[in-house]
Amino acid sequence: MHSNENVHEGDGLMRKLAWLAIAAIAVIGAGTANAQQTPRKGGTLRMTAPYAASFGSLDPHVTPRAQDDIVGKALQRSLYNWDTAANKLSLELAKSVSVSADGLTYTYKLRDDAFFHNGRKMTADDVIFSFTRIMDGSKGYPGARYVRLIKGAVDVEKGTAKEISGLKKVDDYTLEMTITDRVDPGYYFFGGSTAILPKEEVAKGNYASNPVGLGPFKFKEHIPGSRVVMDRFDKFYKTGQPYLDKLEVLIMAEAAARDVAFRNKEIDTSILGPAQYVAYRADPQLSKGILEVAEMFTRSMHINLNSIKPFQDKRVRQAINYAIDSNLIISRLVKDKAYRATSWLPPSSAAFDKTMKPYPYDPEKAKKLLAEAGFPNGFEFEWTTSQNESWGLPIVEAVIPMLARVGIKAKPKLVEVTVLTEILMKGDHQALIGSSLTGPDSLATLRCYYSKTPRTACNYTGFNNAEFDKLLDAAAQEGDMAKRDEILKKANNLLYDEAPVWFFNYNKAVLAFQPWVHGLQPNPTEITHQYPENIWVDATSPAK
Amino acid sequence: MAESLLSLDGLAVHFKVGNALAGGIKTLKAVDGVTLDVKPGECLGLVGESGCGKSTLALAIMGLLPPTRGTIGIDGHQISGSTPPDRMKMARTVQMVFQDPYASLNPRQTVRRTLADPLRLHGITDKAEVETRVIDMMAKVGLRPEQADRYPHEFSGGQRQRIGIARALILKPKLVLCDEPVSALDVSIRAQIINLLLELKDDMGLAYIMISHDLGVVEHVSDRVAVMYLGRIVEQGGWQEIFENPRHPYTRALIAAIPDPFHRAAISADAKARGEIASALNPPPGCHFNPRCPLRADICTAEYPAFGEVSPGHRAACHFRDRVS
Amino acid sequence: MLLVLGRRLANIIPTMLAVVALVFLLFSVLPGSFISGMNEDGRSTIDPAVMERMRKEMGLDDPLIERFAKYVAATATGDLGISFRTREPVTKMLAGRIWPSLKLVFAAMTFAILVGVTLGFLAALKPGSLIDTAAMVGAISGLSLSQFWFGLMLMYLFALKLQWLPSFGYGDGGLRNLILPAIALGVGPMALLARTTRAAVLDVLNADFVRTARSKGMSERRVVEWHVLRNALVLVITIVGLQFGSLMGQAVVVEKLFAWPGVGSLMVDSVFQRDMPTVQGCILMIVLFFLVINTLVDLAYVVIDPRIRYR
Amino acid sequence: MTTPLLKVENLRIALAGDGVTYDAVENVSFEIGRGEAFGLVGESGCGKSITALSVMGLLRRPLSLAGGRVILDGKEIQNVSAAEMRRLRGKRIAMIFQEPMTALNPLSPVGRQIAEMFVLHQGANWNEAMDRAEDALRQVRVPSPERRIKDYPHQLSGGMRQRVMIAIALACGPDLLVADEPTTALDVTVQAEIIDLMAELCAAKGTAVLMISHDLGLVANMCQRVAVMYAGRIVESQVADAIFAAPTHPYTQGLIDSLPRLGERARRGRQKLREISGVVPSIANYPAGCRFNPRCPAVTEVCRSVVPEATPLPAEGVVRCHHHG
Amino acid sequence: MSLALKLPRLRLKGGSSLWVGGGLVAIAISSAILAPWIALTDPVLDANLMNAELPPSWEFPFGTDAQGRDIYSRIVWGARVSLSVGIISQICNSLIGVTLGLTAGYWGGWWDDVVSGLTNLMLAIPSLVFALAIMAILGPGLVSLVIALGLTSWSYSCRIARAQVLSLKSQGYIQAARILGYGDLRIMFTQVLPNILGPLIVIATLGMGGAILAEAALSFLGLGIRPPFPSWGSMLSEARDQITTAPWLSVFPGLAIFFTVLGLNLLGDGLRDYLDPQSTTRRG
């Protein structure tokens, strides 16, 4: 099923936050190279939605899916957005914001030039309505976890209040928001699941089939399972934008079909998997239209330390890391569409020790370690995996013979992507290969190896190391960020040595585009999530 | 008077046909009140055309169809709708020879198995004894011992019918029901089988029910004859009575219909029946034969005639049984 | 006619009920169930407490029997429940998918009938000839093809290499987008129909009444027109019906491959998302289609074959 | 002597088997005069049906005409073009088949199937043809023909269907009617009716009949002359009464004597039937010489090696037996 | 009956389809059996990423896959999985179908109604859809696959068995057996079953081809057997993304499936003719 690269790796917020830290290493491809040209008005862009064979819903509050946000970016807008050019959060629906001294009350001056597609101007009431709707406890909207930040939101969710007490309309274009923690609310309110919707359209009861938002394109048609077609919204608040007359988002979950279609010039953008990445890079024409972005998820094999005896021995775990030629897999199988992982934290993390080298490929050493650990003839384990192309079965298949060479027999157990987390939380695995979010908060990331963190939270390996715990406790106590990072660096290095996982790689997302497409953004949060008002096509586009 | 080997008393076999949704369920009275008896060593000829119910009657006698009404008594064993037959006991008393020698033998069983399996099933486990009885029986029906391990397709039709007869007789039954035993055979083979059946009858003291539409065969082998029409016996009597002095117009029509140049003038053309047998689903009112009967009168459409006696042992169900001749 | 229709319709209901029961039971043991449908890739985005409350509200904690009874009652009124994934009524989701599905299925069947029946006929009229051999070799090959491999090859050849047709998708719903998936889906039934037709026509050509027709002094062409066609049709139509009816279910693979927005692809996606109400709805749709087509075939029988009317 | 209507001379029909070709029919000759009824009698597999088909020009693979001549009204027709043969079929020579059940198109109303004849051979339009079909049905004494023409075959009884077949065959007043076992599938009483009807209609129209049957009695009853076939050859041919009264060939004798005849038992008491030993040979195993020799009671050395020539009989007939004449 | 009516029907290459089909199937079966000897490398362990995605050559006759494994060897070994899926699932189908069909046809009555209802139900739910549901419940794997395919397409053998029994039931030898006192089960297994095996074998043969195709389809949908051990369906399914870049990855498993299924279909056809009592090949 999900044979694509970039199978959604985390929930919206975390995914986006991850990018704060690594925005710097985003590789900007040709997409921005011709940005200097004058954008042409008109034309049609045909984007692809590669993650599933349908959209979940066009009601952005209902769906947490990356797939749906591709369309969401065109139709709806949220309070904040992710500025891909500056790689930071910025206000979208507000012109300015002021923060109270205690850092808990934010006063927004909302845009007075933002129109819904039905022609009505957005006001503070719409924000209040949208956030209140998200807190409807009987619906379980995924955005609720973000809105809970606002004071009184939980009461609405529980049904004990009708209104969120922390939201106050000062006037039509002024909104006061009181939050419960000292954090930047931008991280919470820039995703589709907290988009601002017009009350009167939602009240009609068929919002999902007739979505009306503040985005640069207005909804025209949705053929379920096939495509969404949108037209330019002339009253969009950014002057001169959007450039395109029409935007089509075509659903194409089959990588092979997408490949054929892209080569056949039926689509303008396509997500590439490793196989195509190589082919496209090698092709003189196709190679001109490749946009690459580094991602910050650590792909690894979680070793369940409580499952079988060999895994309890550090030397065995190290042996696994020595036995696997990760670089070879990355270059030959993943086709360099990834960066080698050293330890748990990514290189972009402040707590990453840049002097550290990844485990080298050394089967002799692995054999030696195994022998020392008392397993000279190796052992056997069950390796749970999904079918994911980049961090699933193909990798496992490539690793199996490598492990076999040092005497370790791995038996893959195939499960669906959808149940991976459930398995991890239950500990129903001996080893499991997956992709984990490892940023930006290094402390939060490393806490997954803290002995008191329950398995259901994220201690999937069942790691229990007193020294590590001590380091983490110290880090939590430390107020000085630099010192804290130093402590965490030690913790991360300790993880490297303890090797509760096989450290594999961090992903690189690749978007192919046709030569007539301009203004694509190397969005590090999700490469398919383009702010379509910035995109334009030149006259060579074959699309009508 | 010897005790009856087989006695049918008011036997009726009805079927429900049709669909409750499509035109409703109807009752097909395939056999409708048949009273008959067969004494040991006797051959009863049962004559009738297709659709008269003789095959249903045969199946009921064999215990393969439960009676709707009435009883079947076989050698003291009573079968009725409420008392199902004891198959094993029945098997040793009454057996059957089938019409189609091609369909009546299991193509995947050798002659030996066909004959030996029933013996074993009925408790004869001694290998030598089984073997002797199989070979004896084969000899009796005119098969050579070396043919025992052949499969049915290696035999001609006549030989297959011999195997069929052997199978029917292997358990030494007292009554054998022969359902058109020669009609599927080549003409030149029929005499062999008829002769064989008669020989075996004398040899083993068998009683037969000989079902046939061929009156020549029935006359040749029967002691008594019963004529069936639409589920009922319409005439019954000694063979000579039936063929020389038939009292039911249907019997007469059957005889008249025989294409035999020597027989041409024996029964006048006006004895012939018109049309065809009616459906048992929807029998004509009164005497079932009335639409085809050359003697039809008003009474025939009004009531079913009594099965009255013409002479001792000779009965006919016709209003004009005394007039016909 | 009405009687047959009535009887068939009366048969549909218990079958549907049995399908509902089967599907319901089957998926009540499926691991993951409700929660996975609400999540993205197994990661919970919903507060467990909220989830529990929703489970209760949706009646998912009720005893199976009770849920089943409710589901049947709702289904009877045309309510197939709310999708776990999209929160939309399943009927509405199906409504969006049924037209593309029907289009694909009808196009595939048209292809299968036109090509398959014609080939079968020509083959039977000249048994042993070159066309017969070619048609039968083609037919048996068609039956041995893996649907998605064949689809991929079609895509590769006609879209990528020859650039005659679009490779995938529904497009504007026009014919150009329909051709490749219809062929990929229709090739199996086509092959089967070619074989069945050939056998049926040969059967009829060997029938006694055809000999009667010949003995009347009829030309072969007349024999075929007056006596063979209709009789062969009766034999072919059963296969047409069965194939046609099951085509919507068979379309799963083709729909996935060509990104065709039909009921089949919705079902597969929903299976993976553990979106039970939608899966159930899709299966019911597929079964209903089968039953309806078979009812139509039965009615066609009544028109073509006088014997049926009196059975 | 006038030209016979049909003359078959030295007919040979080949059956192509797996790599071998057999002579299914060999050296068959006979003549039928205008308006004459001629019978061809034999057991299954003797080649009588394919002889009839070859007269119709309806042999299909693996059967083929391998030699001899078929002369209709002085004109050789065994090699005429397909189109010309079609014009003859139905118009000059018509055929009735054994199974009235399957010989009619189940999906076409019987009226139409009759009317086709008028459309095909007399250029009538369908309305006219349907009217005449109704007349034709009336002629074969189908009750209420105006309703019956719309009926489908399955709505008719076996006898009625065979009447329809007769109506089709006689529709264009053919010179010759080939009737292949027309009553085998029917009950005896119905058979008598159909035979009477056929004889009557043919006599009225002056149509000659080639009657094929396994029932010597039936043929002898209806036909003026009879030929008996055995294993692909005609063994004897005579005037009907004579062949019954004085059969010459041992096979014919055996056929007549081996079957119990009605009234025989009453006259002479039960006699053991005369058996013809052995079995009918299969086409692949025809014996050399006289093909009846393995079963013949009078067999001598010459019979096993030499094919007997046709010997003329005193009263217009031939026999093929070494022991005659 | 006259000779003309018994004439054999001409069949297109009845004999040759038996031989060609049998030959193809024999090749598939022998590669499955002889895999350890005729495979060049281990299908799972002999992966060498340095050799990844090489086109066919003398060293790798069918090329190598993304993990650098020899495709020829994987196809040879894959025959084991694909054929066992076909064979085992068909055995299941046949057992279920024959048992139900035999008893339903023989006993009739309410049991027949139940079985007919079940059969119609199974026919109404396309087997692929049904198999998909079962795979979703059991999870991917060989055992689940065999179960999913073995439980979902018995309706054909059931129908055939039932129809055959119904036509045999009135045959003299079945009635004779009853009259001789045979019990129902004894009749079913000694008298009926041996005589209906022919068409059932044909159905099972054709069904095997169907199961192999279904395995491929389920693999495509992500619910097949997934490795390490290769099956043709999973090889094909994995290779589909490389259709434009490394076509040999999908061509060879595709051809393996095609020729094996073709062989099974031809064999089924040939057997149908061979086992048909009306067929010339067995007459006389």
Side-chain angles (χ1 to χ4, degrees), chain B residues 197-212:
Chain B
L197 283 170
L198 286 172
E199 272 165 36
L200 289 167
K201 176 173 179 272
D202 294 344
D203 217 36
M204 301 176 68
L206 298 167
Y208 284 148
I209 295 177
M210 179 68 64
I211 297 178
S212 180

Side-chain angles (χ1 to χ4, degrees), chain D residues 8-15 25 50-51 53-55 57 59-60 62-70 77-79:
Chain D
V8 172
E9 271 182 12
N10 299 325
L11 189 72
R12 207 155 69 80
I13 298 173
L15 169 69
V25 163
I50 55 176
T51 304
L53 286 177
S54 70
V55 170
L59 287 179
R60 306 201 77 210
L63 289 166
S64 59
L65 198 67
R69 301 197 293 167
V70 179
I77 59 167
Q78 78 273 15
N79 287 325

Side-chain angles (χ1 to χ4, degrees), chain A residues 206-244:
Chain A
N206 63 340
Y207 185 84
S209 45
N210 187 27
V212 171
L214 294 160
F217 290 88
K218 58 179 194 260
F219 176 78
K220 186 176 177 204
E221 139 185 85
H222 175 207
I223 299 169
S226 174
R227 61 176 181 175
V228 171
V229 181
M230 291 158 286
D231 283 336
R232 181 221 311 273
F233 177 48
D234 289 326
K235 289 165 98 173
F236 185 59
Y237 47 77
K238 293 183 188 165
T239 26
Q241 286 178 312
Y243 306 115
L244 300 163

Side-chain angles (χ1 to χ4, degrees), chain A residues 114-191:
Chain A
F115 288 88
F116 287 110
H117 300 154
N118 63 8
R120 184 173 66 75
K121 239 182 207 172
M122 177 202 74
T123 67
D125 288 326
D126 292 306
V127 181
I128 296 173
F129 161 75
S130 297
F131 288 176
T132 312
R133 178 184 187 230
I134 291 167
M135 294 317 294
D136 181 343
S138 69
K139 296 280 165 44
Y141 289 127
R145 61 183 307 174
Y146 307 126
V147 181
R148 272 187 216 122
L149 179 71
I150 304 173
K151 205 176 112 203
V154 181
D155 300 327
V156 174
E157 188 171 31
K158 285 185 183 141
T160 55
K162 283 239 152 63
E163 286 164 6
I164 300 174
S165 57
L167 280 178
K168 223 161 74 198
K169 173 183 171 184
V170 178
D171 61 47
D172 270 0
Y173 302 105
T174 311
L175 179 74
E176 198 180 282
M177 175 159 66
T178 311
I179 56 177
T180 52
D181 271 326
R182 284 194 62 154
V183 290
D184 183 349
Y187 299 136
Y188 290 71
F189 301 119
F190 83 107

